Amino acid sequence: MGRQWLIWGMVLLWFVSVSAELGRFEQPIIKADGSLSFLVVGDWGRRGAFNQSQVAFQMGKVGEKLDIDFVVSTGDNFYDNGLTSELDTAFQDSFTNVYTANSLQKQWYSVLGNHDYRGDAEAQLSPLLRQIDTRWLCLRSFIVNAELAEIIFVDTTPFVETYFLDPEDHTYDWRGVSPRKPYITNLLKDVECTLRESTAKWKIVVGHHAIRSVGHHGDTQELVTHLLPILK
């Protein structure tokens, strides 16, 4: 997927345990007014280049103004081909050393994008990265829960058939995903179950690929077919 972008949302969260099929993390409401503020960023890991540092600077200013509770990353965390290992210096060069503002020293909840799967995808999921930078939390699919909102993070890359049938010159790390069809089937069941049982006022689903888009990549047909009906 393409270009770096930044949005912000109002809803609420904190961090803790694991449950059911998808990992579940609790984000307690800590503001007196019961609100939640967070930033969402995607397609960013460029060792500070391609305007990443400038966007990070503005994120710091907005984050301070909104008193954000956490940051969401929608994937393509490290360009161009993910991380080579848990010890890849790109992690610190693209994350720790770029997002240095005080307001951004909060929990980061991240999913994988297609560029991340071109490297050692499991490296980004490793607890070792959390030891290097405690802000980092990246899993394939999981839930962040709060009284007001539940955010469901969905691993969308395995849905896209082209990455399997026509990878071009890229090598994708499908460990933990293959066989693809059972993986997708189980994930969709987990998402549907979570949405059905959720009592949160706000239910937010996060993934790397857009379901509908008028941009360069257009709609992600696999998500239109399989995920959109569940959301509806």
Side-chain angles (χ1 to χ4, degrees), residues 33 38 84 143 146 159:
D33 63 359
F38 61 93
T84 58
I143 303 162
F159 283 82

Side-chain angles (χ1 to χ4, degrees), residues 9-43:
M10 292 291 295
V11 257
L12 191 56
L13 305 144
W14 228 48
F15 182 84
V16 76
S17 58
V18 179
S19 70
E21 297 299 323
L22 299 180
R24 182 179 293 270
F25 300 87
E26 303 296 329
Q27 179 78 38
I29 295 175
I30 56 177
K31 292 192 176 75
D33 63 359
S35 67
L36 173 71
S37 299
F38 61 93
L39 300 179
V40 183
V41 64
D43 300 65

Side-chain angles (χ1 to χ4, degrees), residues 119-138:
D120 183 346
E122 295 196 348
Q124 291 193 46
L125 314 179
S126 172
L128 179 60
L129 294 191
R130 298 176 214 169
Q131 295 177 25
I132 296 173
D133 193 319
T134 57
R135 295 177 293 172
W136 185 255
L137 175 67
C138 181

Side-chain angles (χ1 to χ4, degrees), residues 9 24 53 56 62 67 96 108 120 131 147 164 171-172 178 184 229:
R24 182 179 293 270
S53 293
V62 174
D67 187 21
T96 302
W108 283 56
D120 183 346
Q131 295 177 25
E147 297 172 18
F164 292 83
T171 300
Y172 289 85
S178 296
I184 291 174

